[in-house]
């Protein structure tokens, strides 16, 4: 079909996510910058690629933050994360990255946790309004499981998302991270391996599987095997 503005923007968004999955975050950000530049010439509909222009801009800054993190530039990483959260204060990945970066900075940590609580409350409202939509259960579990909050609810919601959509690899990835957040690396490996089966070409999922396996071995060597799921 003709490369309409929304069609081109959706294609760029998909390409950017693929580049991010390969660890090419600076290139991913450049692709989204092109999409936003094009949008200034031909305005996008608010639901292009399922995201608003502000959410796409937040994603671009998140990719740049990841690039600076990998380059060992924490100050520039924080600058990009702040910009991401200015555009979309509820972006789960930006909140998780900001939470991790805030270690040792109590004031920054409290600011990030306030945004995490607000985002979790918003997701809870979405769940209440659409109880059969798996996306919101997964997003709640991903956010809380990787930061702070009700880990029992995060586990419940992650399982609920899988019950609603059992062949979604990303949902098993979330479940694995919730278990990791609870210190249960045996189940983290189990469910991350399932995610890798469903999405065998995902660089992010495979790298996390390797990381969880390493954590599991460390746990066995220091504290014994993690408790298995009942």
């Amino acid at each position: 079909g003709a490369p309409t503005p929304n069609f081109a923007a959706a294609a760029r968004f998909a390409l950017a996510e693929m580049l991010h999955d390969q660890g090419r975050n600076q290139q991913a950000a450049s692709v989204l910058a092109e999409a936003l530049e094009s949008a200034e010439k031909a305005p996008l509909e608010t639901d292009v690629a399922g995201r608003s222009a502000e959410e796409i801009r937040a994603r671009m800054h998140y990719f740049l933050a990841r690039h600076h993190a990998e380059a060992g530039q924490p100050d520039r990483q924080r600058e990009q994360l702040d910009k991401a959260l200015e555009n979309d204060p509820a972006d789960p990945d930006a909140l998780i990255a900001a939470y991790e970066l805030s270690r040792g900075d109590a004031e920054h940590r409290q600011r990030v946790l306030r945004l995490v609580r607000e985002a979790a409350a918003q997701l809870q409202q979405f769940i209440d309004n659409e109880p059969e939509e798996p996306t919101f259960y997964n997003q709640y579990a991903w956010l809380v499981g990787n930061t702070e909050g009700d880990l029992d609810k995060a586990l419940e919601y992650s399982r609920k998302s899988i019950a609603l959509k059992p062949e979604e690899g990303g949902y098993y990835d979330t479940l694995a991270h919730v278990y990791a957040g609870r210190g249960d690396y045996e189940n983290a490996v189990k469910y991350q391996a399932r995610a890798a089966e469903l999405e065998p070409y995902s660089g992010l999922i495979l790298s996390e599987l390797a990381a969880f396996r390493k954590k599991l071995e460390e746990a066995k060597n220091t504290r014994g095997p993690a408790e298995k799921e009942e």
Side-chain angles (χ1 to χ4, degrees):
T4 61
N6 276 38
F7 178 89
R12 286 191 175 103
F13 188 82
L15 175 59
E17 291 295 332
M18 292 174 67
L19 290 168
H20 166 58
D21 185 71
Q22 296 174 4
R24 297 159 66 183
N25 288 293
Q26 190 171 33
Q27 288 178 272
S30 296
V31 170
L32 291 188
E34 290 176 3
L36 292 166
E37 183 179 353
S38 298
E40 293 178 359
K41 301 174 183 177
L44 303 173
E45 296 177 6
T46 57
D47 63 349
V48 63
R51 296 175 186 246
S52 67
E54 290 76 17
E55 289 171 320
I56 293 174
R57 188 173 289 107
R59 196 70 175 158
M60 177 189 73
H61 287 298
Y62 169 70
F63 291 155
L64 287 172
R66 287 288 298 264
H67 167 71
H68 291 308
E70 291 158 3
Q73 300 169 326
D75 291 341
R76 299 187 70 181
Q77 179 191 5
R78 177 170 176 175
E79 178 184 348
Q80 292 300 324
L81 288 174
D82 287 344
K83 289 180 179 179
L85 293 172
E86 285 172 10
N87 282 278
D88 183 8
D91 183 284
D93 286 338
L95 286 171
I96 292 166
Y99 174 82
E100 293 173 350
L101 187 62
S102 70
R103 297 181 190 280
D105 185 336
E107 183 177 350
H108 187 207
R109 172 59 61 90
Q110 288 306 310
R111 172 180 172 271
V112 172
L113 284 176
R114 176 178 59 79
L115 293 175
V116 168
R117 288 191 292 269
E118 290 173 356
Q122 183 183 65
L123 287 167
Q124 183 63 60
Q125 289 183 340
F126 293 157
I127 289 168
D128 293 340
N129 292 335
E130 298 184 60
E132 297 304 312
E133 172 53 57
T135 303
F136 302 132
Y137 292 103
N138 178 68
Q139 288 180 341
Y140 183 102
W142 178 253
L143 174 62
V144 172
N146 284 287
T147 55
E148 294 181 18
D150 189 339
L151 288 178
D152 289 336
K153 180 182 282 191
L155 182 60
E156 175 191 347
Y157 281 1
S158 185
R159 287 172 168 166
K160 177 68 172 178
S161 72
I162 291 172
L164 290 167
K165 197 171 183 180
E167 297 302 314
E168 181 64 42
Y171 291 177
Y172 288 93
D173 175 42
T174 296
L175 182 57
H177 279 78
V178 173
Y179 273 117
R182 298 164 67 94
D184 184 347
Y185 289 105
E186 187 155 352
N187 275 310
V189 168
K190 174 183 175 180
Y191 290 107
Q192 194 71 12
R194 178 57 177 154
E197 288 176 1
L198 291 168
E199 296 193 28
Y201 303 110
S202 171
L204 290 172
I205 286 176
L206 291 174
S207 66
E208 287 299 293
L209 177 57
F212 290 154
R213 282 174 171 162
K214 182 178 179 180
K215 289 283 188 180
L216 177 59
E217 287 304 311
E218 291 173 353
K220 287 180 177 179
N221 291 334
T222 58
R223 299 185 300 274
E227 291 184 7
K228 295 185 178 180
E229 183 184 10
E230 293 183 1

